[in-house]
């Protein structure tokens, strides 16, 4: 995957991410579910999360995660792939993502 | 302070508070500042936080904290007092409030 492909979508530098952004992004069960799936199953394309929602709603959730520095998106062929920025986030807000995921239910209906 | 006074304002039972509510409430520097002041200086009336904002804005922030189970409000004479529900919150979401406050700047301009 050439590095240039990352430029197809805007991503904030991790030092520009505020804790407000991360808290807002994770204050939603669908977005926590996306993060959990990426942690447990690795990088995957947007269409494979089985969220059962309108594409515009799903797109909104991915954008919220991207703008909060939680995920990176890149185009691979005709698919938009998602990868977590956990290492960067762990440096910026140590323990925060883990703590929130540990304290919330694993919202994964149908799994 | 008679217990009946607490009924003048609605408060959620702590078991009805979702982590989404707490994250939303603490995803704001003014609301974190209010919580910090209550932790450090104890119960106090709404008008004494020196927030420098319109009363309607301040009222909105206190309501968000109250609805998220972070504070209890009660009327004392002509003042509306605020007290943290830290013990209850600590039981429901152990470590969450501390973790968020520790990772965010102490937003206290003028102090």
């Amino acid at each position: 995957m050439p590095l240039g492909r990352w430029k197809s979508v805007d991503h904030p530098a991790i030092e520009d991410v505020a804790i407000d952004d991360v808290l807002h992004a994770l204050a939603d069960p669908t977005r926590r579910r996306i993060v959990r799936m990426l942690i447990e199953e690795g990088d995957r394309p947007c269409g494979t999360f089985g969220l059962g929602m309108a594409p515009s709603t799903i797109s909104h959730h991915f954008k919220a995660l991207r703008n909060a520095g939680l995920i990176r998106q890149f185009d691979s062929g005709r698919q938009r792939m998602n990868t977590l920025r956990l290492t960067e986030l762990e440096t910026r807000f140590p323990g925060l993502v883990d703590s929130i995921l540990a304290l919330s239910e694993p919202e994964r209906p149908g799994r």
Side-chain angles (χ1 to χ4, degrees), chain A residues 9-67:
Chain A
V9 187
D10 275 341
H11 297 91
I14 202 68
E15 58 268 25
D16 293 335
V17 172
I19 194 167
D20 299 19
D21 305 323
V22 178
L23 297 178
H24 270 302
L26 292 179
D28 181 279
T30 299
R31 296 198 285 267
R32 289 196 297 272
R33 184 179 169 197
I34 292 170
V35 170
R36 278 203 178 86
M37 290 180 78
L38 289 169
I39 288 175
E40 294 171 9
E41 303 168 27
D43 298 357
R44 56 196 296 161
C46 286
T48 67
F49 285 80
L51 299 173
M53 294 172 175
S56 62
T57 306
I58 294 176
S59 172
H60 162 80
H61 285 311
F62 279 106
K63 187 175 177 185
L65 289 169
R66 198 174 70 228
N67 289 343

Side-chain angles (χ1 to χ4, degrees), chain A residues 26 30-44 49 62 65 70-72 82-87 89-90 95-104 106 108 111:
Chain A
L26 292 179
T30 299
R31 296 198 285 267
R32 289 196 297 272
R33 184 179 169 197
I34 292 170
V35 170
R36 278 203 178 86
M37 290 180 78
L38 289 169
I39 288 175
E40 294 171 9
E41 303 168 27
D43 298 357
R44 56 196 296 161
F49 285 80
F62 279 106
L65 289 169
L70 282 158
I71 62 169
R72 242 179 233 289
N82 300 278
T83 189
L84 281 173
R85 300 175 68 180
L86 270 192
T87 308
L89 273 163
E90 194 55 25
L96 184 62
V97 175
D98 276 354
S99 169
I100 291 170
L101 293 182
L103 291 170
S104 53
R108 294 181 298 179
R111 287 170 52 91

